[in-house]
Amino acid sequence: MRFEGQTAIVTGAARGIGLGVARRLAAEGARVALWDLDWRGSDWNSSGFEPAHRQEVDVSALSAVEAAFAASREALGHVDILVNNAGINGPIETSWNYPVEAWQKVLAVDLNSVFFCCRAAVPHMLERRYGRIVNIASIAGKEGGAGLTAYAAAKAGVIGFTKSLARELVESGVLANCIAPVITETDLLKQQTPEFTAAARAKIPMNRFLKVEEIAATAAFAASRECSFTTGFTFDVSGGRATY
């Protein structure tokens, strides 16, 4: 129960990676607030998991984030951990044909939201001289990806932002790190064609996809007091694919 007495906010927590991370933190004692824009079809309470707080939040809007943080802080009492997981993929298209509106939306959800959530949470963490921020990036932020220019640019931005934020906070007791996963076994993967699935798996040396539980385990370490001398780092959860 390494998170006993601690609290956390997890964005994009209605399903998939975010819900998996939230459940892991709660299983180890944390009181968790779940944020998401769309709760339709979510199975957040299917395994007896009971969050301390749950909100519908558009994390791409600063005013919504500020209001949500105030509400979660009131519900939780304080905030020790912030996990920025909310994100969208966007369309698959070459950069010169990429729709401008889609580009702006991907960057708003995948990158701006990380800045907005940190902007809301960091002053509170600084007051308490403690905090753990875990930003979910992607292997695409390291490697790039043909047809995924907006997504890759946003995730590379998350990595760069996290490194910069960590340097600003380095002596404060507030640590910020990233996680860069490969494609994960979620419901979204099940919707892909067999050809896409085979090609994606072939890029991973371990020859299998990442499990939500494996990301959750890495996030739990990065969010814990045990992660005491690592900040500004990007944890590899890629099955041997990442080369740096």
Side-chain angles (χ1 to χ4, degrees):
M1 302 295 284
R2 58 180 161 176
F3 296 112
E4 188 170 0
Q6 292 194 301
T7 63
I9 293 172
V10 181
T11 73
R15 56 190 60 80
I17 294 170
L19 183 56
V21 171
R23 283 173 169 162
R24 175 63 183 258
L25 297 177
E28 295 195 40
R31 297 173 59 238
V32 184
L34 308 184
W35 292 11
D36 208 298
L37 183 60
D38 183 7
W39 290 97
R40 293 172 298 179
S42 173
D43 61 348
W44 60 270
N45 60 351
S46 64
S47 61
F49 169 52
E50 187 62 41
H53 192 229
R54 187 168 64 93
Q55 290 192 86
E56 181 178 306
V57 186
D58 178 3
V59 290
S60 69
L62 177 59
S63 59
V65 168
E66 291 174 335
F69 185 80
S72 288
R73 179 179 176 180
E74 182 176 356
L76 298 172
H78 64 274
V79 179
D80 297 296
I81 299 161
L82 170 65
V83 180
N84 283 306
N85 168 74
I88 58 174
N89 293 331
I92 306 298
E93 185 54 270
T94 56
S95 57
W96 55 94
N97 289 317
Y98 207 93
V100 172
E101 184 178 345
W103 173 277
Q104 292 172 336
K105 182 175 181 180
V106 171
L107 264 67
V109 176
D110 292 6
L111 178 57
N112 292 357
S113 70
V114 175
F115 165 60
F116 292 158
C117 291
C118 289
R119 190 177 188 276
V122 166
H124 171 69
M125 293 178 172
L126 286 173
E127 287 178 5
R128 304 186 70 247
R129 301 291 299 174
Y130 181 84
R132 295 290 184 269
I133 297 169
V134 183
N135 295 327
I136 307 300
S138 169
I139 192 68
K142 289 185 170 187
E143 295 182 349
L148 292 170
T149 49
Y151 180 79
K155 293 301 185 179
V158 170
I159 293 171
F161 171 76
T162 304
K163 289 179 180 294
S164 301
L165 177 65
R167 287 180 179 270
E168 293 171 348
L169 298 172
V170 71
E171 294 185 286
S172 69
V174 181
L175 308 185
N177 290 291
C178 274
I179 297 176
V182 290
I183 293 178
T184 308
E185 289 183 352
T186 63
D187 289 340
L188 185 62
L189 180 62
K190 297 174 184 177
Q191 299 171 17
Q192 304 299 328
T193 65
E195 293 77 15
F196 174 90
T197 301
R201 185 189 298 114
K203 295 179 181 179
I204 303 172
M206 285 190 179
N207 196 35
R208 68 172 177 85
F209 291 115
L210 178 62
K211 299 180 186 298
V212 169
E213 294 79 7
E214 291 170 319
I215 299 181
T218 304
F221 169 72
S224 73
R225 292 185 182 277
E226 295 170 286
C227 182
S228 58
F229 204 62
T230 302
T231 193
F233 186 64
T234 302
F235 288 95
D236 166 32
V237 193
S238 68
R241 178 172 166 180
T243 57
Y244 73 96

